Each structure stands twice: as structure tokens, then as C-alpha cells.
């Protein structure tokens, strides 16, 4: 503005001088007729319209409208150690820090760059430009255009982040999810850092300015075509080459060239395996056979072991029933253990074939996974591919000489192994168990459950009561090893004997009394009445009379009431006898008097006749 003002002042001064000069040289009349009043009033010389149009055209072609927040193209005209001078054809040049060009270390004078006009003039009259903002605005426009037109863009993978990668696309940081890097799972993300790759913009969040890109989308179309071609040619029993894509605990996923198939863990090997990684590893190439697929052929079941002959078919004829075989324990179940006698050939040892013992135990009590064991072949079915084995057959059957070792009436010691509601199982030796019925545990104690008398693991002395060789049954008794106390108690507590004891417990229909450690008597309610008519209470100690003693049923019934009732009865009987005697005596005296009177009468009559 200052330059224009100075120019106008110079032109006005020149015009005034010219007027004065004309005034001195020309005729006044002629001067007035030719005087340019417009030039005098405006202070400038009038320019022709054609020249003004030409000037405006030149300005439009060579100068830009320096509006704020506008992106224009500029040219690097000069560079310092820290800044680049940019010419955008404005009346002044702009300065941009080289920090905004770090992505382009090869920037040089003459290069054209995009800049944003931040401020037309700052306080110093300087044009303020920004290349970073211009690049961001232009990049956002290009990203949106690429998304709308589904174009392929070039991006630079900057770094890893949670769940994926950060990619520089046109200067914008876009997110590349891990699932969108490739069609197969990626195990090493770091291998992509620092690489330039092609991407497709799949999602834009305009509110938060977020961009999501995908490399997988670029190759899915080609893979889909390959997949359709491969699926159309699939047949059961077909052998294909594939690459191990993923290994899980239940199987292996195989990439067949765009189509995935699954080998279940049971189809990897004829032998038992705990995990698929025992057979395969990631990225391994292998041949597989197609076992089955669904109607759409989207789920393909593959097999690896089917490429080899079944081990049972290769099993030699040298193995037969009764042979001894060696193998490794591969699986243990509650009912037994599976033994691998050859690769892919297994036999079952049922828990009942592990020991001659008849009481139930777990297979883990005999073997562990990985143990090398020897067994006898019990059954062999090559058609159904089944084999049963036994371990106990390697040792003699303990029941073969049972009659000589455990004759009836012999006494032995055994270990309590198990309880039932009706008795106790006692192990005499490995393979020989006997049963003690609950009634044969004690002569005197009334036992409701064996646990009241013994515990598992106790050693008991027993006597053989019965022996069934064919049924493999041994009946034992424990009380028979001691003297029956009821034999001596039969005299001590005979019916009619009297004993002093206290009421121990009040029970239904009566009470119990403890005569000693073995004898517990029962007192019916009607026999608890005392002489004064009251009932006996708990803890009262009185005399009791035994009114019933049964040795076989271990039953003792006593009565307190019977004691004083018996005395009463004796008193009543005595009174009756005395009364009868007195009556008899009275009867005798009266008779004698009658006799004497009769005799006197007879004498008097005789004397009268004599007269």
C-alpha cells in the first residue's frame, strides 16, 4: 500500500508539472479546450480499457488469492538449515520449518509442495504457511475418494499397536487390524513393520477422523475365485497337498489353497496322542485325504492317518489268545487301562483283570500312564479290532488251594477293606476276601453299622465259618474267636435272680439298665412301678428281678415291680393259709362238742332203758 501511495504521489506531481509547463508554452484558449479534467481530478492518467483487461489477465495468471485456510501449490525457492522459503506467487513469500518435511528428506530447491495459507499477514507482514496441515487436508480428501471409489492405496507400516498395526496413508495414521493383514493368521506382526504395502480403505469414521484399512481385502477376491475352483473339484478320498495353518487342542486346520479343512486329533495318527503338535507343526506341508464335507463344501473333514495302512492290518499272526505281550499304558479310565502293544494297536485291561481281589478298586491303584507292563491276551477280534488283556493271569489263582489254606474252623488275621450295611469285607491275602456279617462281629454289642465297631485298615482276627470254592465266597466271623460271655451269664442272670442296677435310659415302652459291660436289660413300663405307685426315673438304683433271659437272642427282661408284688403275693398267701387253719381249728372244736353232747345223750338214753 505504501508503494502504491508513493506511486500515485509521483504521478500527481508529474501531472502538475506538465500542466504548468503547458500553461507557459500554449495559448490559454487552446489549453483550456484540450485540458484533461479527469486526469486532473483523479490525479492519474487514464488507462485504456484494453490495457486494463490485459493487466487483469496477467494478475490472474501469475498471482493467487491469498485467502486464509486455503491449500495452494508452492515452490521451494530457498532452503536454510532449519527452514524452507516457499513462493506461492503472492506479493510475499512464506517460511515453513523443515520439521514438516521430515517424511521427505530429499526436499530441494525447485520442488513443488502443497501448503495451507494459515494467515495472510502476521504482525510483521509475513505470509504464514503450513505444509503439514495442507498435507493432512489433502490426504483426508484422497482417503475419502479412495474409500468411495474402492481404490487401492499405498501405505507405510509404522509400528505395532494393540490388535493390529498403524499405517501411514497419505500422511494419515490408519489402523490395520490383525485380522485384516492376511487371509491366514499372523503370528509375527513385527515382520511387517517398516514395509510399504497396498491397502484398501474399508471404513471411515468422519466424526472421530478414524480410518481402517485392509490388506486382506485385496487378496480375498483372488482367493475366492481359487476357492470356488478348488471346491468344485473336491471328492471324497481325494489326496491334496496343504499347509498347516493353525494347530488347536482338538485338531489341525489345513490351508488347501484358499480353502480350509480340519483334521481332527483322532484322524492324525493311528496311535493315541495328547496334542496335535506331537504330529505336525505350523507351516508344515503335507498330503491329506478328504474324508467328508457338507453340502456346500464349506466344512471339509480331512485325514492324515488314513494315508497309511491300519496297524491292525499289519499286525502279525504270531499274536494269539494266551500269549504274553508287553506294552505301554496310554490311557487310564475308571473301568480299566488301555495298553499299546504295537503302534496303533491297543488292548484293554479291565480293572477286574488286574487283580484276583474281588472288591472293587480303581485302575490307577495298579498302573500309571506311561508304565511298561506285561499282560496276557484274553480275547482277540481282528475284524472288530479289539483286544482284551489281563495282568492277574501272570500269577497263580489264590483260590486253587483255598481249602488247604483256609479250612472251616481255622483262625487267621485279615485287613478290613470295605463296609456294607450288612457286614465287613476282610482281605485275607491278595485275591481272597471274606465277609463278616454284622451279627458275627460281637457276642454282646448290638451294632447298627460296622463302622461302629471297626474302621477300614484295621486288622481283625477271624474264624472261617463257611467256604464256597465254586462261588469264591468265604464266610468269616470275629466273635467266634472269643468265648461267648452269654454262656456264663445264663446262670448268673437266670430267671428269678435279683440284681441291683440303675435306670440308664428311658426309651419307648420302658427303660434300659446296664447290669455290666455286656448285659443290657430292658424294663417294660408296667414293671417300672414302685411300691408307692410312682414310676422309676433315670438314674434311680433299685433291685430288679430277671423275668426273661434268652441267650440266643441276647435278650434280658427285668422287673422292679415284680419284687414287691411277689412279696405282696406271699403275704396274701400266708394270710390265706392262716385264715384257713383258723377256720379248720374252729371247725374241729365245734364238732368235738357235738360229739360229746351226742355221747351224753346216748348214755342217758341207755340208763333210762336199764331202769
Amino acid at each position: 500500500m505504501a508503494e502504491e501511495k508513493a506511486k500515485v504521489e509521483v504521478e500527481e506531481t508529474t501531472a502538475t508539472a506538465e500542466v504548468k509547463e503547458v500553461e507557459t508554452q500554449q495559448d490559454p484558449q487552446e489549453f483550456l479546450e484540450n485540458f484533461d479534467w479527469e486526469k486532473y481530478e483523479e490525479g492519474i492518467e487514464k488507462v485504456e480499457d484494453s490495457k486494463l483487461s490485459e493487466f487483469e489477465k496477467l494478475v490472474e495468471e501469475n498471482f493467487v488469492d491469498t485467502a486464509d485456510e486455503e491449500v495452494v501449490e508452492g515452490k521451494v525457492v530457498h532452503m536454510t538449515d532449519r527452514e524452507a522459503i516457499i513462493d506461492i506467487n503472492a506479493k510475499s513469500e512464506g517460511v515453513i520449518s523443515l520439521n514438516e518435511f521430515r517424511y521427505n528428506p530429499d526436499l530441494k530447491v525447485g520442488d513443488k509442495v502443497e501448503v495451507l495459507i494459515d494467515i495472510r499477514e502476521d504482525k510483521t507482514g509475513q505470509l504464514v504457511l503450513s505444509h503439514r496441515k495442507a498435507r493432512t487436508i489433502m490426504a483426508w480428501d484422497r482417503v475419502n475418494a479412495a474409500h468411495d471409489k474402492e481404490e487401492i492405496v499405498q501405505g507405510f507400516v509404522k509400528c505395532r499397536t494393540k490388535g493390529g498395526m498403524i499405517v501411514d496413508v497419505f500422511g494419515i495414521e490408519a489402523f490395520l487390524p490383525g485380522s485384516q493383514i492376511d487371509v491366514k493368521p499372523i503370528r509375527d506382526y513385527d515382520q511387517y513393520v517398516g514395509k510399504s504395502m497396498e491397502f484398501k480403505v474399508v471404513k471411515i469414521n468422519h466424526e472421530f477422523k478414524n480410518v481402517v484399512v485392509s490388506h486382506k481385502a485385496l487378496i480375498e477376491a483372488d482367493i475366492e475365485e481359487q476357492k470356488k475352483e478348488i471346491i468344485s473339484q473336491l471328492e471324497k478320498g481325494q489326496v491334496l497337498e496343504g499347509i498347516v495353518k493353525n494347530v488347536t487342542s482338538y485338531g489341525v486346520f489345513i490351508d488347501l489353497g484358499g480353502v480350509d479343512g480340519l483334521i481332527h486329533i483322532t484322524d492324525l495318527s493311528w496311535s493315541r496322542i495328547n496334542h496335535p503338535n506331537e504330529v505336525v507343526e505350523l507351516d508344515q506341508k503335507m498330503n491329506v485325504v478328504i474324508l467328508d464335507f457338507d453340502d456346500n463344501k464349506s466344512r471339509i473333514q480331512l485325514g492324515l492317518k488314513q494315508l497309511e495302512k491300519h496297524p491292525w492290518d499289519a499286525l502279525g499272526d504270531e499274536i494269539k489268545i494266551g500269549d504274553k505281550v508287553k506294552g505301554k499304558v496310554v490311557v487310564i479310565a475308571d473301568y480299566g487301562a488301555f495298553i499299546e502293544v504295537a503302534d496303533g494297536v491297543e488292548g484293554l485291561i479291565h480293572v477286574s483283570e488286574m487283580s484276583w481281589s474281588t472288591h472293587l478298586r480303581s485302575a490307577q491303584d495298579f498302573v500309571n500312564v506311561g508304565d511298561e507292563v506285561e499282560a496276557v491276551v484274553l480275547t482277540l477280534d481282528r475284524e472288530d479290532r479289539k483286544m482284551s488283556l489281563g495282568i492277574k493271569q501272570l500269577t497263580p489263582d489264590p483260590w486253587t488251594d483255598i481249602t488247604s489254606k483256609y479250612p472251616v474252623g481255622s483262625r487267621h488275621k485279615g485287613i478290613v477293606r470295605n463296609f456294607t450295611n450288612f457286614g465287613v469285607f476282610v482281605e485275607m491275602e491278595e485275591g481272597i476276601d471274606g465277609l463278616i456279617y454284622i451279627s458275627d462281629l460281637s457276642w454282646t454289642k448290638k451294632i447298627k453299622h460296622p463302622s461302629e465297631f471297626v474302621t477300614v485298615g484295621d486288622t481283625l482276627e477271624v474264624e472261617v465259618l463257611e467256604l464256597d470254592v465254586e462261588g469264591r465266597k468265604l464266610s468269616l466271623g470275629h466273635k467266634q474267636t472269643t468265648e461267648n460271655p452269654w454262656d456264663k451269664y445264663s446262670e448268673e442272670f437266670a430267671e428269678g435272680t435279683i440284681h441291683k442296677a440303675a435306670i440308664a435310659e428311658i426309651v419307648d415302652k420302658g427303660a434300659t439298665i446296664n447290669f455290666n459291660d455286656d448285659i443290657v436289660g430292658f424294663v417294660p413300663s408296667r414293671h417300672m412301678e414302685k411300691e408307692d405307685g410312682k414310676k422309676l426315673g433315670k438314674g434311680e438304683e433299685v433291685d430288679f428281678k430277671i423275668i426273661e433271659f434268652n441267650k440266643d437272642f441276647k435278650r434280658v427282661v427285668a422287673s422292679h415291680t415284680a419284687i414287691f408284688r411277689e412279696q405282696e403275693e406271699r403275704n396274701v398267701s400266708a394270710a390265706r393259709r392262716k385264715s384257713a387253719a383258723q377256720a379248720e381249728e374252729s371247725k374241729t372244736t365245734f364238732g368235738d362238742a357235738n360229739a360229746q353232747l351226742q355221747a351224753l345223750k346216748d348214755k342217758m338214753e341207755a340208763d333210762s332203758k336199764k331202769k
Side-chain angles (χ1 to χ4, degrees), residues 585-599:
E585 182 180 355
S586 175
K587 182 178 179 182
T588 303
T589 304
F590 183 73
D592 291 343
N594 288 337
Q596 290 175 359
L597 289 174
Q598 185 65 37

Side-chain angles (χ1 to χ4, degrees), residues 27 100 120 177 198 260 365 381 483 528:
D27 180 68
E100 297 191 22
R120 253 181 322 192
E198 291 183 337
D260 289 347
D365 294 336
D381 189 341
E483 183 182 357
M528 294 176 64

Side-chain angles (χ1 to χ4, degrees), residues 397-414:
D397 185 354
W399 282 84
T400 54
D401 57 349
I402 188 71
T403 54
S404 61
K405 289 196 295 184
Y406 301 100
V408 175
S410 60
R411 293 185 178 182
H412 310 272
K413 288 186 178 181

Side-chain angles (χ1 to χ4, degrees), residues 122-162:
D122 60 7
K123 295 180 180 180
T124 62
Q126 180 67 51
L127 180 65
V128 179
L129 305 176
S130 173
H131 174 64
R132 182 184 293 109
K133 292 182 179 179
R135 190 164 177 257
T136 300
I137 293 173
M138 297 300 293
W140 186 251
D141 293 339
R142 292 173 67 183
V143 165
N144 278 277
H147 178 261
D148 296 338
K149 298 178 182 179
E150 297 186 353
E151 295 178 346
I152 298 174
V153 298
Q154 192 77 17
F156 177 77
V157 181
K158 296 178 65 176
C159 62
R160 283 189 59 177
T161 188
K162 184 178 181 180

